[in-house]
Amino acid sequence: MRSAGRAAALLMLIPAAASAAGAPFDFDRAPGRLPKDVVPLGYRLALVPDIAAMAIAGRESVALRVRSATRSIVFNSLNEKLSDVRVDGVAAAAVDSDDARQLTTVTLAAPLPPGAHTLAFSYVGRLETQPHGLFLQSYVSADGTAGQLLSTKMESTDARRMFPCWDEPAFRATFELTVTVPAAWATVSNMPVAQRTLHGALATVTFQRSPYMPSYLIEFTGGDLESVTAAAGATTVGVWAVRGRARDAQVALADAQLILADYDDYFGFAFPLPKLDSIAIPGGFGGAMENWGAITYNDRLLLLTPDSTLADRQAEFAVQAHEIAHQWNGDLVTMGWWDDLWLNESFASWRGASETDQRHPEWHWWQRQDAARDGALRADARLSTHAIQQPVADELQAANAFDQITYVKGQWVLRMLESYLGPAVFRDGIRRYLQARAFGNATTTDLWEALAAASGQDVAQAARDWTAQAGFPLVSVAASCDAGGARTILLSQRRYTLRAGERAPGRWSVPLRIRAGSAAPHTELLTRDAQPSAAGRCGEPLSVNADAIGFYRVQYDAATLAADTRAFEAVPDGDRTALLDDSWALALAGAQPLDAYLALLPAMGGNRDPRAWEQIAAALTTLGHYERGTRGHDAFAARARALLRPVYDSLGWDPRPREAPDAVRLRRALLTVLGELGDAGVLAEARRRFGLFLEDRRVIHPDDQDTVLGLVARGANAATFERLHSLAAAEKDASARRRYYLALMRVGDAALAARAARIALSAEIPPQDELLRLRLVGQLIDRHAALAWATLRDNADRLLAPFPKYAPLIVAEQIPEAYWEGAPPQEIESWVRGRLPAEMAPNIARGMESLNEQRTEKAALLPALDAWVARRAR
Ligand SMILES: [Zn+2]
């Protein structure tokens, strides 16, 4: 209620005003297809879903403000048939709904004068079977009973599937929703229930009117649900799940309370709705959706059971921290148009990771995000990459902006800026931004202006280099020493690309964080070529990306690299991580010898930094994969095992009491790579434990099951495969079942792999795990690339159906990158092109660049690797 009052006051300001890249938000200049002469202020919407007919009967009334006289009203609709269309009670002259353009045009007999008017109509729409609009979700409970519920997923452009509306983010309005459902059902929406009327077997539920918000944040879920609730300040926090599963929601509830209170404080703006619900949907879609006051999650991200792993627990916290951050960055303040999607996603990713790191220091969460940072650097090194802010001409392409540049690069650019300006100044800027734009929309410029006001610095100049320009720099470091041993470095930059020798334009103001020896790091903005900087004493270790916070790569001169290698065991974890990531990337690119990277491995000494070992395990797995089937394979594998085995031996097979989360991670990474490299001891022990596990499930901790079962599957014969398969088919716990099915897909034997592919497509996968099928087929790639490709190609419609929003992006970018060995590049490319519209050519180019790069890397690295092994053997 405090929200509604405040919002009403702000609405009067619905601007006559302006936005484009480089300008503050302005309603009239916000991109979009809908004319801005008619603005919706408030919707009253009454829905009657009919599951038997898979249809929606709706009655809608929209309070409008007409800004200049017009005879037509244009808004979005899809698969809806409107009837009895009236404006101020007068029947419309004509109504044209065009499903191809997703627009309805209402034409009036006489021009509508400026001022307040009311549009009202009835309509019939569709209940969806896939997670967009209002959709029906089927599921099977642990006790074997089948159930169905209704839920929604609107972002980016699917609210129009549930009801005709102005479905662009700048058209904020209030929503008052009424739904008629079976009387036994519980119902959840953005706002609390205002009124519930029973009539026979049905109940009609009206929710309180929402504050001014964009249509893509509307939520409704109805079904056989139960909830747990608690208070967080003035807000009621609830977690909803299907009957029988609310007991698995207690951890999520406590975390939601904690996170909400932290954000009220951080943002300096109290959560404006009376309640915040989180809803665990069995299946539905893969992630979570930040609907204001009613966040929906795939239930595996929210509900925890005794069979859940540490990774499940971490995902539960981190995803909630991301989605709850959206309640401010996204919901309270929304990007004006999809070209600024990063204002939603990068922000929520950065804020969520910071919250997770602060509340769980034992998880070393930022360090855990380093693999994602490195992945985004790799994606952004493609010549075909794009800027964080990218034009989105038509909202129907908005979904293609949801990629790792938007989520991950943006997150790290914000972290880099926060580090550069200082956390307190940065927070002050964020508070100013939210305060200025609350219940409204914003552009990137609004953010820079708030940060500039908080810091007194021209933030926009430096920041735009990172959001308006594609790619990132490679910073090169050339050190020299004076007679007294003092070191000076000359810093230069050029755009980093996947292949050394490729040239592409780009210059950045680079906020460097420099640490020499054991001194505290200092920041420095790199703006000039050959910029000099004092850097401690010669021979000391040096990091120009201290703590691995920066979104750039660094190449050191030979003497500095040698000093860093000598001191490698003892340098701060983040500095070590940055050097490993960069040395590996430079080796893949052919910019630095592979030997420089491999020399870092023995230099780890007794260090047990899990991110470092994870990085090494991943690199050795890649090299082992490239070596597979070559003459050099066995010698390489023996060398790699010799490097890893001592680390593994020091950890042991069994978890120790009160073991740190890092040790759990490290054990998993090492077990997997050692098994992959054919370590006979590890493989035999995995088989032995699997035998015991069949008798007693407690023998293998849930955290280790994925790894151990994967190792067993790798060498499984038909009998072992069937045992694993029976476990999967009989399992009632959703997380354990997913682990068993994923393990099956790692089988080494070709005939059994073909059987695994059939299982991935079979009816034994329950309906709420429909999303899992694509991942199962993906697991086959490593050992059976051609089989995986053929399975995907021949079943793509079915495998991609649960991803209606992301399917085009998956096909264009992820499939070529992942299935690069499955078929000749031309075959993959022509298949991809055949499935996608022409405007996705830039996305296809990115996918194909990744595919071709892996082929190039493999060919270039193998000789260098064999030479390294041969030298070591001598
Ligand atoms: Zn998000």
Side-chain angles (χ1 to χ4, degrees), residues 607-608 613 641-656 663-675 679 681-683 685-686 689 704 707-708 711:
N607 191 288
R608 296 290 178 267
W613 283 109
R641 288 196 304 266
L643 274 167
L644 296 169
R645 190 69 209 213
V647 188
Y648 182 70
D649 288 340
S650 74
L651 271 179
W653 188 280
D654 291 303
R656 290 167 196 174
V664 177
R665 268 172 74 199
L666 184 52
R667 175 183 299 109
R668 270 203 307 266
L670 291 169
L671 264 174
T672 303
V673 64
L674 281 167
D679 186 298
V682 163
L683 291 170
E685 183 62 12
R689 288 183 182 238
D704 294 328
T707 303
V708 177
L711 294 177

Side-chain angles (χ1 to χ4, degrees), residues 121-155:
F121 53 86
S122 298
Y123 70 93
V124 177
R126 286 186 198 169
L127 280 184
E128 300 286 348
T129 53
Q130 298 303 339
H132 52 184
L134 178 62
F135 66 93
L136 181 70
Q137 175 67 45
S138 300
Y139 58 92
V140 177
S141 299
D143 66 5
T145 56
Q148 288 186 316
L149 56 74
L150 291 175
S151 190
T152 53
K153 171 76 161 56
M154 305 309 196
E155 193 178 22

Side-chain angles (χ1 to χ4, degrees), residues 155 288 290 322-323 326 344-345 348-349 407:
E155 193 178 22
E290 68 264 22
H322 176 107
E323 300 305 330
H326 271 312
N344 281 12
E345 293 308 340
S349 298
Y407 278 78

Side-chain angles (χ1 to χ4, degrees), residues 56 218 257 293 334 347 380 525 544 611-612 662 667:
I56 303 168
I218 296 287
Q257 279 177 284
T334 310
F347 254 90
D380 202 30
L525 200 62
V544 174
R611 168 58 197 151
D662 278 353
R667 175 183 299 109

